[in-house]
Amino acid sequence: MRRRLSVPRWLSLLLISLWSIAISITVPPGSPAFGALKQKPTLGWLSTRVVDRNGNPLGAIVVVRGIHSRAGQTDGLGYYKVAVPPGKYLVNAVYGGYSTKARGV
């Protein structure tokens, strides 16, 4: 038969107390970090449409460079949409070995 290990009551109370103190001092409610935890990140939408000279949609690769760089393919109607934080971005499209001039947004 196995013996069960017992922890002295004073030790378990001490560990619980230390754990409670550690949790309460990790992020004090009045600190700027506490406010940052409560705020949701602000995102906006960057969207574009890639079409040929006749206005027909193209299945192109869209490259977004800036604070957060992204790349993705347009949908069947030529649209590309991505959530990004506020900032300045350069956007260009690549299709069939050709690349558009990067435009600032």
Side-chain angles (χ1 to χ4, degrees), residues 61 63 65 91-102:
I61 301 295
V63 179
R65 289 176 286 158
V91 181
N92 69 307
V94 180
Y95 178 77
Y98 296 99
S99 178
T100 62
K101 182 178 179 181

Side-chain angles (χ1 to χ4, degrees), residues 44-50 62 64 74-75 78-84 89 91 103 105:
W45 289 102
L46 189 148
S47 61
T48 187
R49 185 166 190 230
V50 182
V62 177
V64 179
T74 58
D75 63 12
Y79 289 101
Y80 177 73
K81 185 176 180 181
V82 64
V84 293
Y89 295 90
V91 181
R103 295 188 181 183
V105 293

